Amino acid sequence: MNANVAIRSEQKLQDLGGGVNRRVLAYNKDLMTVEVIFEKGAEGSTHTHPHTQCTYVLCGKFEYSVEDETVVLGAGDSIVVPPNLPHGTVCLEAGTLIDTFTPMRDDFINE
């Protein structure tokens, strides 16, 4: 098979602290999908990276900031963050984000 298959139950859940957990799912050098689980009040601190990021809200509610703009996102909403823009989130209601990165995040698998 030429596809990269990730069985969720077989993927390691990483405790990032502060009520945030991450599970790297399927990826190759060009693309990566990551599940990020937040407790209410947990934060994804403002940061930048050279990857394009698309975030889909699987469940919960999040205040998401990109540069100087802030939006509240709920289940079914999504946002694309271009490379190198400061962005972060605060979890308003416990939930899960599905992040997709291009290219893949080497730092997530080399931790």
Side-chain angles (χ1 to χ4, degrees), residues 21 32 46 60-61 66-68 77 88 92:
N21 290 278
M32 174 181 270
T46 301
K61 189 178 287 188
V66 179
E67 286 193 306
D68 298 331
D77 295 336
L92 303 176

Side-chain angles (χ1 to χ4, degrees), residues 31-105:
L31 190 65
M32 174 181 270
T33 302
V34 178
E35 175 186 38
V36 189
I37 303 164
F38 288 79
E39 295 175 6
K40 182 178 180 177
E43 294 185 32
S45 60
T46 301
H47 62 285
T48 63
H49 47 74
H51 314 83
T52 297
Q53 175 178 336
C54 181
T55 296
Y56 174 80
V57 181
L58 184 64
C59 60
K61 189 178 287 188
F62 297 83
E63 183 180 85
Y64 207 98
S65 298
V66 179
E67 286 193 306
D68 298 331
E69 296 183 40
T70 301
V71 64
V72 174
L73 301 174
D77 295 336
S78 58
I79 188 169
V80 173
V81 180
N84 303 309
L85 287 184
H87 60 284
T89 191
V90 175
C91 183
L92 303 176
E93 293 176 9
T96 301
L97 300 177
I98 303 298
D99 289 335
T100 303
F101 300 95
T102 185
M104 59 105 47
R105 297 279 308 253

